[in-house]
Amino acid sequence: QVQLVESGGGLVQAGGSLRLSCTASGRTESIYAMGWFRQAPGKEREFVGYISLSTNFILYGDSGKGRFTISRDNARNTVHLQMNSLLPEDTAVYFCSADRSAQAPPRRRIADGYAYWGQGTQVTVSS
């Protein structure tokens, strides 16, 4: 099993920045990929990006391209999501995800591509 805990959410003004962190515990040595999704009220869960822990390949969703950056801290089993130039439409609950199976990148763009999820952290961007 893998447990995920997100942190770093909060309230920020438009144009500001936030850094989210996701720390994994449990059977972390077998994690292939860690991802970020977000869900706004009344909307479906949206892919933000993911990182392959075996190849360091990173794929971003359309909403965060050029503004969001995913990085990893191996020593702390942590993945970060740096979000810059935030917009009010970035307001959502952000979820961290992880998976212990090898899958192709397109599969990582959907929620079914991950077996483990964190509880989520709220990000609110005011205009």
Side-chain angles (χ1 to χ4, degrees):
Q1 294 292 322
V2 173
Q3 295 79 41
L4 303 172
V5 177
E6 304 100 333
S7 61
L11 174 64
V12 64
Q13 288 188 332
S17 298
L18 279 175
R19 187 173 86 152
L20 306 184
S21 298
C22 175
T23 299
S25 61
R27 298 190 61 179
T28 60
E29 73 285 355
S30 58
I31 296 176
Y32 267 82
M34 293 183 70
W36 288 97
F37 286 74
R38 69 185 187 183
Q39 190 164 19
K43 295 189 176 181
E44 292 187 355
R45 194 162 294 194
E46 178 186 18
F47 173 70
V48 175
Y50 95 97
I51 180 169
S52 166
L53 300 192
S54 58
T55 66
N56 285 323
F57 172 78
I58 297 174
L59 181 67
Y60 294 100
D62 292 339
S63 59
K65 278 182 181 176
R67 300 187 297 127
F68 295 176
T69 303
I70 293 174
S71 62
R72 63 187 291 189
D73 181 344
N74 290 342
R76 293 178 173 83
N77 293 321
T78 298
V79 171
H80 304 288
L81 177 65
Q82 177 68 42
M83 304 187 293
N84 299 327
S85 302
L86 283 163
L87 306 168
E89 47 264 46
D90 293 319
T91 295
V93 177
Y94 283 70
F95 295 92
C96 175
S97 57
D99 197 69
R100 292 165 53 195
S101 63
Q103 302 196 50
R107 180 75 177 169
R108 298 300 188 194
R109 297 180 66 94
I110 60 176
D112 284 349
Y114 303 87
Y116 304 98
W117 292 86
Q119 293 298 308
T121 184
Q122 176 70 46
V123 171
T124 303
V125 184
S126 63
S127 57

